Amino acid sequence: LSQAFSASPRFTDLVVPFLLDASKDIEADVDATVAQAMQTLVFCLEKFGASAAQKHLKDILATARDQVCRTKTTCARDFCRCVVESLKIAMTGVPAGLHPSWVAKDVVPELNEMAEDASKGRMSLASEGARQLLLAAAASHPVIYEYVWSGVMAAFLESETSGFSADALT
């Protein structure tokens, strides 16, 4: 199935949304469906290349955030792995220190939302998932690490008076 989905770059705009939608499946065998959808998505992005990954990163990050931070999914690890690999693929050929404009437009807003979710503390459903996704994103590329760090620190400094504690970062 993975080979068929990735047979042509022309399938990109059909395959990526389909696999993201499949990851939201609420049928009986959810874990297997989500894991397969995420593995297939990464496989296809590797075949389609960096430009396809860049084009769909916003949707990938939004779906991962929605599923990991807003639901009690047991597949957080699969979403995190997909985030790491998608960002790695998208950042292929981008040297450390270079900040492409598409990162600021598509990736940074999602990272900032995750940092805000993480700052809510351990009592929030979104906090644990957001921390996992932020760590996954930071592991993907040095440039993304910089954006994760600045987003987390901004959330820390802005909400210092509203009860955000340093233990929310761990």
Side-chain angles (χ1 to χ4, degrees), residues 57-92:
L57 260 180
K58 183 175 185 166
D59 294 331
I60 293 167
L61 293 172
T63 300
R65 179 173 169 253
D66 182 53
Q67 293 301 301
V68 175
C69 298
R70 308 272 184 260
T71 67
K72 293 187 179 201
T73 183
T74 57
C75 301
R77 180 175 288 150
D78 295 312
F79 283 103
C80 289
R81 191 173 299 123
C82 181
V83 165
V84 169
E85 295 303 320
S86 298
L87 285 166
K88 281 182 181 178
I89 294 164
M91 296 295 286
T92 300

Side-chain angles (χ1 to χ4, degrees), residues 114-122 124 127 130-131 134 149 151-170:
M114 289 178 204
E116 187 178 313
D117 286 346
S119 73
K120 293 178 181 173
R122 297 197 186 276
S124 169
S127 181
R131 283 185 273 137
L134 286 169
W149 177 255
V152 167
M153 290 312 298
F156 175 73
L157 295 173
E158 289 172 6
S159 59
E160 186 177 72
T161 58
S162 65
F164 178 72
S165 62
D167 77 329
L169 297 174
T170 59

